[in-house]
Amino acid sequence: MVATKRKTFDIFARIKRGDPLIHIGTVEAENEHLAKVYASFTYDEEDWSEMTVVDRSQIVWVKKPNWLFAQKEGRVR
C-alpha cells in the first residue's frame, strides 16, 4: 500500500450573506474532495451560508506576519 501525502487545507466560511469571510480552522487531507468532506463534518456547528477549503500551499501572501514560533535555520526562535 502506497501512503498518500496529506496536505493542510485552511477553512473559510460565513454565516450569512454579507458577513465577512472568516478563517474557522484547518483540516488535513489527501485531496480537495476529502478536504471538503472533512471540513463539512468537522465544522458543522453553524449553519454556514458559504464554506471554502484552500490548499495552504496555494495561498499567496501579500504581507506575512512574523510568527511567534517561526523556525529559522532549524531552530525555534
Side-chain angles (χ1 to χ4, degrees):
M1 185 163 111
V2 177
T4 304
K5 186 174 179 186
R6 295 172 70 102
K7 299 186 279 186
T8 300
F9 291 84
D10 286 284
I11 315 303
F12 298 89
R14 72 178 93 229
I15 294 175
K16 60 183 179 183
R17 289 181 69 182
D19 283 352
L21 194 61
I22 57 172
H23 184 267
I24 60 170
T26 62
V27 295
E28 290 191 6
E30 291 81 7
N31 56 53
E32 290 176 7
H33 175 72
L34 286 174
K36 291 192 305 186
V37 172
Y38 297 161
S40 67
F41 283 101
T42 303
Y43 300 101
D44 66 346
E45 70 275 1
E46 293 286 345
D47 186 19
W48 306 107
S49 66
E50 297 176 50
M51 181 186 289
T52 185
V53 297
V54 179
D55 183 339
R56 185 170 279 177
S57 69
Q58 298 300 309
I59 294 175
V60 178
W61 287 90
V62 174
K63 184 175 181 182
K64 189 172 184 177
N66 293 324
W67 302 107
L68 180 60
F69 297 109
Q71 289 196 4
K72 182 176 182 181
E73 299 174 19
R75 298 186 313 242
V76 175
R77 55 177 184 161

